[in-house]
Amino acid sequence: MILDGNTPDAIATAAQALQRGELLGLPTETVYGLAADATQAAAVAKIFSAKGRPSDHPLIVHVADMADAEHFADRLPTFARQLMQAFWPGPLTLIVPRAPGTAQAAAGGQDSIGLRCPAHPVALALLQACRDLGVRGLAAPSANQFGRVSPTTAAHVQAEFGDGLLILDGGACSVGIESTIIDCTRGVPVLLRPGGITRTQIKAACGLDLLLNKELLMPTQIAPRASGTLEAHYAPKAPVRLMSAKALQTAIDILGPGASGLAIWSRSPLQVRAAQLLVRRMPDDAVATAQQLFAMLRSFDDQGCKLIWIETPPDDVAWEGVRDRLQRATAATVVSAPTTVKTA
Ligand code: TXA
Ligand code: MG
């Protein structure tokens, strides 16, 4: 059932459901989450089973403010505090040492915890209402089946989990891709997942260079796990290929006027003679592209496209989050079925 998240009644209903240990579709500025009380192990277990997600993959815990973050965290490093002050509420998740005894199930058994204070007004109103009921944090992964495209509207969440799930409608997400995740447990900030906040912004806020996970050469078994960092993730049903504008134009020309079953998302204008091709224009800037990305992939699937061709985004730090999601969507393609685009 979808409720308008902007009404106080809906916020109260949702907070009570969470307190009873039920799940909720939660709007945030990045993507919609599938939320439960982070401190109730049985409620958290429902998230893992609804998503089909392995139960040792840790979840992000959403909090109303820094004071509630301190409840779940132990020994916050100075740079983590600086990043919270600079970007919260906002699309930044910090992995920090976990206070012993808190949110064990949500943390997937790790001794660290991922914390985020979201900037969406409905999410913040809900987190405050939850706190009034004694619920101090909401565990919430993205509200999609494991490995699939993240949801950016209430209708997407309903399409993933059906009408039995209570969902707060907070409109279309303004950021559109998941939060930037920074690991703060290794003495220096380490980027685990690029997202709404860029590397340049992080450095400006804490004065430290952001390392990439792979630069640390850590054996994977001791590096924190992040399912959003799996190579194949965020995949629509149709296979995705990334191509330069030139390669796109050549491929379209080869297919000829009778081609069908193909969707194209490009920034550069293309000459397309085939009336059956679905061609969409990608915005010129990274922020607007991120906002549309997952909804675009979903709409290509919904329209029955068998193959998706996307113009490779610019190699620029502002596009890092978009590039990351698109590369993972293509990585999933390698294991997909052969394509069935008709040429004439
Ligand atoms: O924007 C977002 O971050 C959205 C919204 C709903 O807040 N949430 C989201 O959650 O993307 P999810 O579960 O799809 O991705 C969270 C990522 C996962 O890759 C998870 O493994 C990682 O965060 N993570 C959470 N806690 C962690 C921890 N203690 N150590 C390492 N990685 C962690
Ligand atoms: Mg996810």
Side-chain angles (χ1 to χ4, degrees):
M1 184 182 32
I2 298 182
L3 299 181
D4 179 354
N6 294 301
T7 64
D9 280 358
I11 296 287
T13 303
Q16 286 155 12
L18 289 162
Q19 188 194 32
R20 286 195 303 272
E22 290 166 22
L23 298 184
L24 175 83
L26 167 75
T28 84
E29 77 280 29
T30 57
V31 300
Y32 275 70
L34 184 64
D37 177 353
T39 62
Q40 294 185 42
V44 169
K46 289 183 190 170
I47 298 180
F48 287 107
S49 74
K51 268 188 73 107
R53 175 160 162 154
S55 61
D56 61 347
H57 280 214
L59 306 175
I60 294 174
V61 174
H62 298 70
V63 290
D65 53 29
M66 266 179 82
D68 278 357
E70 304 259 7
H71 170 75
F72 292 101
D74 194 21
R75 292 172 283 114
L76 275 186
T78 305
F79 69 86
R81 236 175 251 284
Q82 287 169 329
L83 293 175
M84 286 177 182
Q85 266 149 7
F87 299 112
W88 279 12
L92 179 70
T93 297
L94 300 174
I95 311 293
V96 298
R98 181 167 58 90
T102 58
Q104 172 104 10
Q110 310 224 15
D111 54 11
S112 61
I113 187 159
L115 295 172
R116 172 162 116 79
C117 175
H120 196 292
V122 173
L124 282 173
L126 178 72
L127 284 163
Q128 279 149 13
C130 284
R131 181 164 56 189
D132 292 345
L133 297 177
V135 175
R136 294 188 79 176
L138 296 179
S142 51
N144 52 282
Q145 297 294 331
F146 185 63
R148 310 299 304 188
V149 175
S150 301
T152 55
T153 66
H156 294 164
V157 181
Q158 196 171 51
E160 293 282 323
F161 297 103
D163 199 35
L165 176 69
L166 183 63
I167 303 166
L168 283 184
D169 190 346
C173 300
S174 58
V175 175
I177 57 172
E178 299 82 352
S179 58
T180 303
I181 304 183
I182 310 273
D183 181 7
C184 303
T185 65
R186 297 192 249 177
V188 288
V190 180
L191 180 68
L192 296 187
R193 180 175 74 184
I197 302 218
T198 65
R199 268 202 265 177
T200 323
Q201 290 173 285
I202 301 281
K203 180 164 185 190
C206 70
L208 295 171
D209 273 318
L210 192 55
L211 291 183
L212 298 181
N213 206 19
K214 60 182 180 224
E215 285 166 356
L216 285 181
L217 299 175
M218 297 272 281
T220 45
Q221 64 271 29
I222 60 167
R225 280 185 220 94
S227 60
T229 65
L230 292 177
E231 201 171 329
H233 214 74
Y234 312 112
K237 294 188 188 92
V240 179
R241 302 261 150 81
L242 286 181
M243 299 157 85
S244 68
K246 198 170 162 210
L248 268 176
Q249 187 63 64
T250 308
I252 290 167
D253 293 345
I254 291 170
L255 282 180
S260 63
L262 173 65
I264 297 169
W265 197 30
S266 73
R267 280 183 324 287
S268 312
L270 298 167
Q271 304 263 328
V272 180
R273 283 177 303 137
Q276 303 281 333
L277 294 196
L278 194 62
V279 184
R280 295 282 176 269
R281 184 76 194 268
M282 185 187 282
D284 290 327
D285 70 288
V287 171
T289 303
Q291 205 268 328
Q292 295 177 16
L293 196 159
F294 290 135
M296 191 62 72
L297 295 180
R298 270 177 192 268
S299 83
F300 289 154
D301 267 348
D302 292 346
Q303 290 170 86
C305 298
K306 299 289 180 254
L307 181 60
I308 302 170
W309 287 350
I310 299 179
E311 184 177 345
T312 311
D315 188 12
D316 175 288
V317 79
W319 287 82
E320 201 169 23
V322 168
R323 257 198 335 272
D324 170 81
R325 301 309 186 278
L326 288 176
Q327 272 154 3
R328 290 178 207 287
T330 22
T333 295
V334 175
V335 292
S336 309
T339 56
T340 52
V341 173
K342 294 198 189 84
T343 50

